Amino acid sequence: SKLKCVQSTKVIKGTGYHLDIMIAGILISISGLFGLPWICAAPVRSLAHVASLSKYSNTHAPGEKARLIDIKDQRLTNIGVHLFIGCTIFAAPIIRKIPVAALFGIFLYFGIVSIPGTQLFSRIKMTFIPTKYYPNFGYLRRVRQMKRHIFTFIQVISAGLLITIKMTNFAFLFPLILILLVPFRKMCLPFIFTERELTELDGDEEPGSTFDDEIDFYGQVHLPI
């Protein structure tokens, strides 16, 4: 609900974000049918923008997560960002001088630093850690170890399948296989796991955490200087 959205994120724009995603999905579907270029909903850039406007408390106890105090909700910086993106059209001669290897290196770096923040990586790491040293996460406390291993194995096999298809001559099937994983998750996995277990294994590391408990990822990443 809108009230819950306001309480958890302190943003008063209601369901506008979800409406934008729905419109983008409709336009992408139409573009795909006619072979037209897809539009980009820019969710990563939008979430990063919201995170940059967030103000967290500095009085929390050591070991506790910072509490979201306020979000400086405005549109000036967002408009400025998109104006600069539009100006890149005129900077094409300069952008072409950037080595492709440098661009790939940036994407590779951000891909690698984001891996430790995934639950899949954490579950694989916990396999080699004694139980007494486990952190206080819901998927570790409320899901049996064997079930965690089965879920992790299924995820690794699915990721390996996607990577393998991507590297072969059947790469054109990549979107289809990716979409088929959705009904597989919804229809097949409930025969192995309970709904509570799937909620814990699919969710964040900290159960019940919302955006107001999250630290900005981009503020934690250590960029090379």
Side-chain angles (χ1 to χ4, degrees), residues 94-107:
I94 300 176
I95 296 177
R96 291 194 186 97
K97 297 183 181 297
I98 301 177
V100 176
L103 297 176
F104 284 171
I106 294 175
F107 292 127

Side-chain angles (χ1 to χ4, degrees), residues 111-129 137 139-140 151-152 155-156 201 205:
I112 292 175
V113 298
S114 64
I115 290 177
T118 62
Q119 190 190 116
L120 174 61
F121 178 83
S122 298
R123 277 190 267 107
I124 294 176
K125 183 174 64 175
M126 295 304 163
T127 306
F128 306 97
I129 297 178
F137 293 154
Y139 68 89
L140 294 175
F151 191 84
T152 302
Q155 278 192 312
V156 171
L201 293 168
E205 288 189 341

Side-chain angles (χ1 to χ4, degrees), residues 53-172:
L53 301 177
S54 304
K55 182 180 180 181
Y56 293 91
S57 64
N58 297 320
T59 58
H60 57 282
E64 293 184 359
K65 290 187 176 181
R67 183 174 56 85
L68 179 65
I69 298 176
D70 187 24
I71 292 181
K72 303 299 181 182
D73 195 11
Q74 41 84 22
R75 295 294 177 263
L76 181 61
T77 54
N78 209 12
I79 294 175
V81 167
H82 287 84
L83 286 177
F84 280 115
I85 292 176
C87 290
T88 58
I89 299 176
F90 306 100
I94 300 176
I95 296 177
R96 291 194 186 97
K97 297 183 181 297
I98 301 177
V100 176
L103 297 176
F104 284 171
I106 294 175
F107 292 127
L108 177 63
Y109 174 79
F110 279 104
I112 292 175
V113 298
S114 64
I115 290 177
T118 62
Q119 190 190 116
L120 174 61
F121 178 83
S122 298
R123 277 190 267 107
I124 294 176
K125 183 174 64 175
M126 295 304 163
T127 306
F128 306 97
I129 297 178
T131 306
K132 62 180 180 179
Y133 296 116
Y134 281 2
N136 190 26
F137 293 154
Y139 68 89
L140 294 175
R141 291 186 288 108
R142 290 188 282 270
V143 181
R144 288 182 297 172
Q145 187 177 32
M146 181 57 65
K147 288 292 190 72
R148 292 201 309 269
H149 292 338
I150 294 175
F151 191 84
T152 302
F153 178 76
I154 293 174
Q155 278 192 312
V156 171
I157 293 299
S158 301
L161 176 63
L162 292 173
I163 294 173
T164 302
I165 293 176
K166 186 67 175 177
M167 298 175 63
T168 63
N169 295 331
F170 298 96
F172 63 92

Side-chain angles (χ1 to χ4, degrees), residues 10 28 30 40 42 44 52 82 100 146 154 177 188 191 202:
K10 303 186 186 301
I28 290 174
I30 296 175
C40 178
V44 176
S52 67
H82 287 84
V100 176
M146 181 57 65
I154 293 174
I177 302 300
C188 298
F191 289 100
D202 274 347

Side-chain angles (χ1 to χ4, degrees), residues 3-11 68 71 210-213:
L3 178 59
K4 185 177 180 181
C5 176
V6 172
Q7 292 175 343
S8 62
T9 63
K10 303 186 186 301
V11 176
L68 179 65
I71 292 181
T210 52
F211 187 81
D212 58 327
D213 291 323

